[in-house]
Amino acid sequence: MMQLPQHHKPSKPSAPSCCSSWIRRSQPPSPPHKKPGGGGRSRYACRLVPLLVLTVYSVVTVLRIPSSSLVVTTADSERVERREDLEALKTHLPSNQNSLEAREETRSVASLPCSAFINGEAGYGEEGVLCCDRSHYRSDVCYLRGDVRTDPSTSSVLLYNAPRGSSPEKVRPYTRKFEGSIMSTIDEVTILPVAGAYNASASAGDGGTLRRRCDVRHPRGVPAVVFSTGGYTGNVYHEFSDGLIPLFITAQRFAGEVVFVVLEYHYWWLGRYGAVLERLTNYKVVDFRYDRRVHCFDEMIVGLRIHGELVVDPKLMPNGKSIKDFQALLHQGYSRAASSSSSASPPVPLPLAPPSRPCPRPAKPKLLIFIRKQNRVLLNLPHVVTACRRAGFAPHVMNLRRQTPLPAIHAALASADAMVAVHGAAVTHFLFMRPGSVLLQIVPVGLDWAADAFYGKPAQQLGLEYLEYKVAPEESSLAAEYGLNSTVVRDPSVISSRGWWEMKKVYMDRQNVTVNIKRFGELLKAARTHLRNTTACAKAAGAGAAAALR
């Protein structure tokens, strides 16, 4: 520790030389009235000040005060710059750079939620990112950035130069995580983080990592989205709800610059939905199971985002897209006009009414009746058709088969004004209908909740007029099988409380319906009234009448 010098009386009253060497300026002459021997106190202060400053500087150096405690505001820094005697206490960076550096550290990769990377809200330029979002009850989604390479032989994906401490992750990229029985049938993808830098001359034990050779190196900035077409694929409802809509939610932000890597790939699936897929990707689909080549990417998403049943929630989309944007993509893909237009053109929403509708003498509105053959059969179909004609509709019966082309179904519904169907997968085709059209769903006993959640609410979000015909107990075939006053017919909640599969076995697989024509006719009248008020011609006539009144 530095010792202070012993004080002694100076032999001469002259100013000490130490002051001039520290302050680097000459001592002003003593005032005329000051006594020659009165400078002792000033000489003591002159020696003490530099010693105190040196002591403070030594303490700061030894204790290594953290830089965060030395960051000053802009106003403070201006004052500090004007004081030359405090230059030694300033940090090696200006105060504004220190503040910026601190803010960047709080936004480190580790502090960001995985959803920010999956949604494209963060992570650009970051290398060596591996995270998984397992918070949603419907799906697990993992995100990788860096040197990503597929290994089909082991059904795995390798991430080289992975973040330190990363652990292997396993994902079944299908959107029904809550349903263990079906998820057990989905192929599992293993994500393997590999630490260490590449060294071409490395051998075992040298610490280097020999990487699998890339057979296909995809362009930088073109990520991969990995998902499965297994599970319930084959049922049109699940193909849209579990597959195509989640794929739209996850991949549409890439504007086509994305590669789809598919597990449990079905060639018929590509043929059926190719018109949709080619508007989500500009590249060929990769069959993960049978394409044995090593595909290399700099970014990958394993799994799909999902918002609900046939739903695209704009609040959860980084660009505010909705189910109407997905419908516009379907319309572009399946309309006849799309074949002559560029795939890069933006999707155009369906118009409110077809332009071919004549205004002076409106034709009868077109109504499609979708029928079922094995269960939930509409037993009095001829009477229903007659009731539709009496209500002023032009009814057409749709007898769909698995091989019925989707463009044909789209063409029929895109030009229709109303659709009638008993609850089932075929109701999914309401996605092809124009806003303002009518969906009339016949709801068998015990299926109230499913009808509303799976089709009713989504149809309303799409802008359709949704009407519901609830089958009375006496109109259900279950009344004849179990008795009109049985618990099965009168209190379906008892059966539903036993689980989905028990409910499905009774109310979906073993029930047919016979609707009350008079009560059904009242709903048809309501649908007809709605259409009178919402067709393009009616709107034009209303606008003309309002202009005449003005």
Side-chain angles (χ1 to χ4, degrees), residues 96 98 146 158:
N96 60 339
N98 281 331
L158 296 94

Side-chain angles (χ1 to χ4, degrees), residues 138 174-176 235-249 273 304-312 323 326 428 431 453-455 458:
R138 287 290 302 263
Y174 190 63
T175 58
R176 297 189 75 84
N235 177 292
V236 66
Y237 169 78
H238 292 286
E239 287 167 4
F240 277 92
S241 184
D242 300 341
L244 290 175
I245 293 179
L247 183 60
F248 173 81
I249 291 170
Y273 296 110
L304 299 178
R305 285 287 199 200
I306 185 170
H307 296 164
E309 308 295 339
L310 300 178
V311 170
V312 179
I323 189 66
F326 175 74
T428 309
L431 291 168
F454 296 170
Y455 303 116

Side-chain angles (χ1 to χ4, degrees), residues 124-367:
Y124 293 105
E126 299 290 350
E127 294 294 337
V129 178
L130 171 58
C131 64
C132 292
D133 184 356
R134 302 182 186 273
S135 61
H136 201 280
Y137 79 102
R138 287 290 302 263
S139 66
D140 293 331
V141 185
C142 292
Y143 177 88
L144 300 82
R145 175 178 281 276
D147 187 350
V148 183
R149 308 191 183 198
T150 64
D151 184 3
S153 62
T154 59
S155 189
S156 61
V157 174
L158 296 94
L159 174 62
Y160 292 94
N161 290 345
R164 182 173 299 178
S166 299
S167 301
E169 301 281 357
K170 294 182 179 294
V171 186
R172 297 184 188 273
Y174 190 63
T175 58
R176 297 189 75 84
K177 185 174 76 171
F178 63 94
E179 197 170 341
S181 59
I182 200 66
M183 290 300 290
S184 64
T185 69
I186 303 298
D187 287 353
E188 186 175 66
V189 176
T190 302
I191 302 172
L192 296 174
V194 183
Y198 170 70
N199 184 356
S201 61
S203 59
D206 289 342
T209 302
L210 293 175
R211 307 188 185 191
R212 294 182 61 85
R213 181 178 59 85
C214 291
D215 298 315
V216 181
R217 183 177 290 279
H218 295 271
R220 186 167 183 82
V222 178
V225 172
V226 182
F227 62 97
S228 172
T229 57
Y232 289 122
T233 300
N235 177 292
V236 66
Y237 169 78
H238 292 286
E239 287 167 4
F240 277 92
S241 184
D242 300 341
L244 290 175
I245 293 179
L247 183 60
F248 173 81
I249 291 170
T250 307
Q252 60 82 32
R253 70 179 178 88
F254 298 112
E257 290 301 299
V258 60
V259 176
F260 295 153
V261 179
V262 182
L263 282 72
E264 299 158 285
Y265 177 83
H266 303 288
Y267 287 97
W268 63 262
W269 177 82
L270 179 61
R272 187 170 179 82
Y273 296 110
V276 179
L277 299 175
E278 67 183 13
R279 279 156 182 81
L280 289 174
T281 177
N282 300 327
Y283 302 88
K284 291 183 179 181
V285 174
V286 176
D287 183 351
F288 189 76
R289 177 184 291 176
Y290 291 106
D291 189 339
R292 313 307 291 179
R293 297 175 298 175
V294 175
H295 290 260
C296 298
F297 303 89
D298 62 3
E299 186 179 8
M300 177 178 285
I301 298 173
V302 183
L304 299 178
R305 285 287 199 200
I306 185 170
H307 296 164
E309 308 295 339
L310 300 178
V311 170
V312 179
D313 189 345
K315 297 178 182 178
L316 301 178
M317 297 291 286
N319 49 17
K321 298 291 185 180
S322 71
I323 189 66
K324 294 182 180 179
D325 295 287
F326 175 74
Q327 188 202 46
L329 184 143
L330 294 177
H331 176 59
Q332 186 192 37
Y334 290 122
S335 63
R336 295 177 180 177
S339 60
S340 59
S341 62
S342 172
S343 60
S345 60
V348 180
L350 289 171
L352 186 65
S356 59
R357 180 186 297 280
C359 288
R361 294 185 60 188
K364 290 183 177 181
K366 179 181 176 182
L367 181 146

